[in-house]
Amino acid sequence: MLSIEPLAAFNDNYIWLLADAEQQRCAVIDPGDASPVLAWLDAHPGWRLEQIFITHHHADHVAGCRALQAASAARIHGPAGERLPVCDQWLHDGDQLTLLDRPVQVLHVPGHTLGHIALYCPRQDNQPPLLFCGDTLFAAGCGRLFEGSPAQMLASLKRLASLDDDCLVYCTHEYTLSNLRFALAVEPSNPHLQVWQERVTAQRQAGLCSLPSRIDEEKAGNPFLRCLQPEIRQQLEQRAGRTALDEVELFATLRAWKDVF
Ligand SMILES: [Zn+2]
């Protein structure tokens, strides 16, 4: 059984560390900085870093890889469609491998970057499914469209939203509160958002990470999965200055609004 903990990096990044206490081994996802991982290893003598997974090529997700590789025997798994500083195994959509002892499936989810991947661990025994999705789906939000089109990102988010309701969503940034502020501006009458905001406000005041979220929670509150909701559509068509927008146009309008919110 794996335990999962967030290692804080930079201003608001999390490097997810998965630990297998029985065998004293661990894996990390998106180590943009080696130092928090090396500090964790220093505090856990005898443990081995065995695997590093990369979701996409941005520096705040990959810049720690070389130092961690030099300090351990970790194998680096990264997206085949991206240029990375170092990689031992290039991952393609549909690939199946193991993350320590959990089977994991590779999902290609372009939008934030073109080669972006997410890692999905199906349910195992009584452990819920897990999703490590980098900068695609955020709690109550989504990543910026640096390389992909709105249509690509919308398709990627829909693919993630089709996973199990109780799937735990581990994204890479602590953006939840600001995303919820935006979500409430977009859909003020959504009762889930108020509850979610109260919970996350309390977590942040206690210095806690607001993640993971869950797929059912995202479907109930994340505006980027809810463009077709009447209240959201009305707001977006008002912003766009025309009606009868299709879903991709609604999504593009919403993303552009968030960019300037
Ligand atoms: Zn990024």
Side-chain angles (χ1 to χ4, degrees):
M1 169 135 182
L2 301 179
S3 61
I4 305 174
E5 64 178 283
L7 305 183
F10 310 115
N11 280 338
D12 49 32
N13 283 62
Y14 291 123
I15 299 164
W16 292 106
L17 183 138
L18 293 89
D20 170 4
E22 205 171 293
Q23 298 191 48
Q24 297 211 321
R25 58 188 183 145
C26 63
V28 291
I29 298 176
D30 285 348
D33 184 3
S35 49
V37 182
L38 294 172
W40 191 96
L41 290 167
D42 278 346
H44 296 76
W47 283 65
R48 297 179 316 281
L49 174 64
E50 287 196 348
Q51 289 176 299
I52 297 171
F53 286 83
I54 303 297
T55 62
H56 68 292
H57 69 84
H58 287 158
D60 63 323
H61 296 250
V62 304
C65 285
R66 279 190 194 283
L68 291 177
Q69 201 182 39
S72 70
R75 191 166 158 77
I76 302 180
H77 314 268
E82 306 248 312
R83 200 170 294 161
L84 302 179
V86 56
C87 187
D88 299 308
Q89 184 187 15
W90 298 98
L91 302 176
H92 301 82
D93 189 66
D95 283 353
Q96 311 230 11
L97 60 164
T98 53
L99 203 176
L100 301 179
D101 68 350
R102 286 285 294 256
V104 61
Q105 295 171 12
V106 177
L107 309 176
H108 177 218
V109 283
H112 179 68
T113 65
L114 285 174
H116 201 302
I117 57 167
L119 302 163
Y120 169 64
C121 299
R123 187 180 317 281
Q124 191 182 49
D125 307 321
N126 284 327
Q127 300 170 66
L130 311 174
L131 175 69
F132 298 93
C133 52
D135 291 352
T136 52
L137 178 62
F138 287 136
C142 79
R144 282 179 188 261
L145 304 184
F146 285 121
E147 297 175 13
S149 67
Q152 280 175 319
M153 186 59 131
L154 180 61
S156 294
L157 293 178
K158 283 185 168 194
R159 190 172 182 198
L160 299 179
S162 74
L163 298 173
D164 328 63
D165 275 347
D166 64 341
C167 180
L168 299 173
V169 180
Y170 295 86
C171 65
T172 320
H173 288 276
E174 182 60 66
Y175 291 158
T176 317
L177 267 188
S178 63
N179 285 340
L180 285 167
R181 265 195 301 279
F182 177 68
L184 278 160
V186 173
E187 196 181 13
S189 69
N190 183 332
H192 299 290
L193 290 173
Q194 210 73 47
V195 175
W196 198 352
Q197 190 183 44
E198 279 164 24
R199 193 187 79 213
V200 174
T201 300
Q203 285 172 320
R204 297 304 295 150
Q205 279 169 354
L208 299 172
C209 172
S210 69
L211 308 171
S213 62
R214 280 172 38 140
I215 289 291
D216 53 0
E217 202 168 31
E218 297 299 336
K219 288 192 291 193
N222 188 324
F224 293 95
L225 302 177
R226 299 171 59 78
C227 292
L228 295 176
Q229 293 296 313
E231 186 179 16
I232 298 184
R233 170 186 280 279
Q234 196 187 2
Q235 291 240 51
L236 295 175
E237 292 188 337
Q238 207 168 11
R239 272 191 92 79
R242 59 197 179 91
T243 56
L245 299 185
D246 67 26
E247 192 177 5
V248 172
E249 292 171 320
L250 290 168
F251 180 82
T253 306
L254 182 64
R255 187 56 255 182
W257 181 6
K258 177 67 167 69
D259 287 346
V260 298
F261 184 75

